[in-house]
Amino acid sequence: MRILYSHRVQSRDGQSVHIEEMVAALRRAGHEVLVVGPGLYQQVSFGGESRLVSLIRAHLPSWLGSLAELGYNIPAGWRLWRAARRFRPELLYERYNLFYLPGTWVARQLRLPLFLEVNAPLAAERSQFGGLGLERIGGRLECYVWRSADRVLAVTGVLKRMICRAGAREEQVAVIPNGINPEEFAIEAEAGVEGRVVLGFVGFVRDWHGLDRVIAAMASAPDAGALDLVVVGDGPARVALEQQAESLGLARRVRFTGLQGREQIPRLVAGFDIALQPRVVDYASPLKIFEYMAAGRAIVAPDQENIREVLRDGVTALLFDPSRPDAMWNAIMRLAADADLRRRLGSAARAEIARGDYTWDGNARRVAVLAQRRVRIVAPAP
């Protein structure tokens, strides 16, 4: 099957991981995939983004930034149209982005089936967290793009319901969560310091994750003296967390690795005894959870529906009530005191990857099955 993969991602982060892993998995499955995206994408290192995008976000009013996003549809649509005419795809696969319309336009003009991968309700998310100009237009365009796709691929059942409430038909939306290449995480953990338990976190470090409460408890809880914390990644909360650890006398027990290349993540996660997912929005499919599972780590995560779609409390993780301030710490201390429970949960989490086929190759197979009855060869217009 010839697949034209369209995206507007300008940064190299979790979004780029999903794009690159899905493309690689589809190619391993024997499909021919042509990727069409921003020209600057390949020039950005992991963890970075286009300088032009950074300048726009920093200096333009939100409404003007949204107009720039809409304007980008003209060159992007022309580029995608030319690629489709030349490549003659059987399926157009697009990673959804707000104000991004080329996939919808080209699929309609060439009568191609459009599969739309949706990882978040971006109109609501940007309105809440990042500021959104032209909010009403953004929301309407989001609903239009979702409803126009032949298949919408949502990463969680929670997100599927949100998409259906926006007007998509239930049978139109399939749930395909994030995945992992488990063989990359088949690394034996190095022996740690005797009597020490390492807590670990991977990802973009934000204030609302709640790592400050973990650091505060490490300093004040009477049984926390044997705990260390490793934070892998960067983000706006890092400086404050480093200052907090320093002020509490924990500088030697709390380590910030900074941004790490993807190839370093399996080795770092293998060094965790307890892997933390402190907070998460209620529709997400966190990539870090699949990394923790593949590495066989004991996981602490919030007890909410999107997490329960993958993890089972007391079987593959300890899930805590996110509404209770002390619940996460109580789960951490329970695991810290019970090495057998950590091993049992970690082994079950790793086995769950295979049982649920939470892999990129598995996701590629699911996409191919969904596409089988919809694809057809479209000849280029004369």
Side-chain angles (χ1 to χ4, degrees):
M1 181 166 53
R2 288 191 307 280
I3 302 172
L4 184 60
Y5 194 116
S6 168
H7 74 89
R8 200 200 69 185
V9 173
Q10 303 256 12
S11 57
R12 302 297 292 275
D13 50 19
Q15 298 180 87
S16 67
V17 170
H18 196 136
I19 291 170
E20 293 167 14
E21 293 291 1
M22 272 301 294
V23 169
L26 288 166
R27 287 172 175 163
R28 284 193 298 270
H31 306 293
E32 188 178 356
V33 184
L34 176 65
V35 180
V36 179
L40 295 175
Y41 173 79
Q42 296 297 336
Q43 303 174 28
V44 179
S45 60
F46 188 72
E49 69 175 357
S50 158
R51 182 173 297 180
L52 176 60
V53 173
S54 298
L55 288 173
I56 289 173
R57 288 177 177 170
H59 299 291
L60 287 185
S62 60
W63 66 270
L64 198 53
S66 295
L67 280 179
E69 290 184 80
L70 284 169
Y72 178 75
N73 284 304
I74 297 173
W78 176 241
R79 185 165 58 243
L80 188 64
W81 169 271
R82 287 188 301 167
R85 293 284 299 273
R86 184 174 61 252
F87 185 58
R88 297 176 63 197
E90 300 163 88
L91 174 68
L92 204 164
Y93 186 109
E94 185 166 271
R95 182 183 176 93
Y96 167 70
N97 214 317
L98 192 60
F99 297 116
Y100 189 61
L101 303 168
T104 305
W105 292 345
V106 171
R108 176 168 294 182
Q109 289 297 315
L110 296 182
R111 299 180 181 177
L112 284 167
L114 173 63
F115 277 30
L116 188 71
E117 172 197 298
V118 181
N119 289 261
L122 291 178
E125 185 175 88
R126 284 177 51 177
S127 179
Q128 180 179 358
F129 295 114
L132 174 62
L134 307 181
E135 186 172 336
R136 182 174 297 180
I137 293 174
R140 288 180 177 176
L141 286 177
E142 181 169 79
C143 294
Y144 163 71
V145 171
W146 288 354
R147 292 195 300 264
S148 298
D150 291 270
R151 276 285 189 176
V152 179
L153 310 177
V155 291
T156 63
V158 175
L159 183 56
K160 174 179 177 175
R161 288 202 302 273
M162 298 174 76
I163 294 168
C164 290
R165 285 199 296 269
R169 303 180 310 278
E170 184 171 356
E171 65 274 14
Q172 179 188 359
V173 187
V175 176
I176 300 183
N178 272 319
I180 198 71
N181 292 324
E183 63 277 2
E184 295 178 0
F185 286 80
I187 298 174
E188 290 298 325
E190 297 179 5
V193 178
E194 183 68 27
R196 309 295 301 173
V197 175
V198 178
L199 315 178
F201 171 89
V202 174
F204 194 63
V205 188
R206 298 183 183 273
D207 292 330
W208 54 265
H209 279 141
L211 289 174
D212 58 324
R213 292 198 296 274
V214 175
I215 293 174
M218 287 175 62
S220 61
D223 299 328
L227 299 183
D228 297 328
L229 173 64
V230 176
V231 179
V232 179
D234 211 336
R238 176 182 171 179
V239 172
L241 292 174
E242 287 180 316
Q243 292 172 347
Q244 180 191 18
E246 180 73 31
S247 68
L248 294 174
L250 298 177
R252 292 187 177 182
R253 292 172 51 197
V254 179
R255 181 166 68 94
F256 296 83
T257 71
L259 191 67
Q260 297 291 310
R262 286 170 55 191
E263 70 280 358
Q264 298 299 323
I265 300 302
R267 177 184 59 82
L268 291 164
V269 174
F272 300 168
D273 294 300
I274 302 171
L276 304 180
Q277 172 68 71
R279 295 282 180 176
V280 63
V281 292
D282 60 2
Y283 48 77
S285 175
L287 182 61
K288 66 171 64 65
I289 280 184
F290 298 98
E291 294 173 340
Y292 296 162
M293 294 170 72
R297 301 300 88 194
I299 301 168
V300 171
D303 187 2
Q304 54 193 60
E305 185 178 349
N306 57 327
I307 300 301
R308 291 194 300 271
E309 290 179 21
V310 177
L311 296 175
R312 290 177 289 165
D313 184 33
V315 179
T316 55
L318 288 189
L319 304 183
F320 64 89
D321 182 350
S323 68
R324 291 177 46 216
D326 60 343
M328 178 171 63
W329 183 252
N330 290 341
I332 289 170
M333 292 306 297
R334 179 182 170 190
L335 284 173
D338 194 336
D340 287 338
L341 179 58
R342 295 199 300 269
R343 283 191 289 270
R344 187 164 69 250
L345 292 178
S347 295
R350 179 182 286 156
E352 187 70 12
I353 290 286
R355 192 194 71 81
D357 197 12
Y358 295 122
T359 65
W360 297 117
D361 287 340
N363 286 355
R365 286 191 295 271
R366 284 182 271 272
V367 168
V369 168
L370 290 172
Q372 278 177 353
R373 295 183 179 179
R374 294 179 178 269
V375 301
R376 67 183 182 89
I377 298 176
V378 178

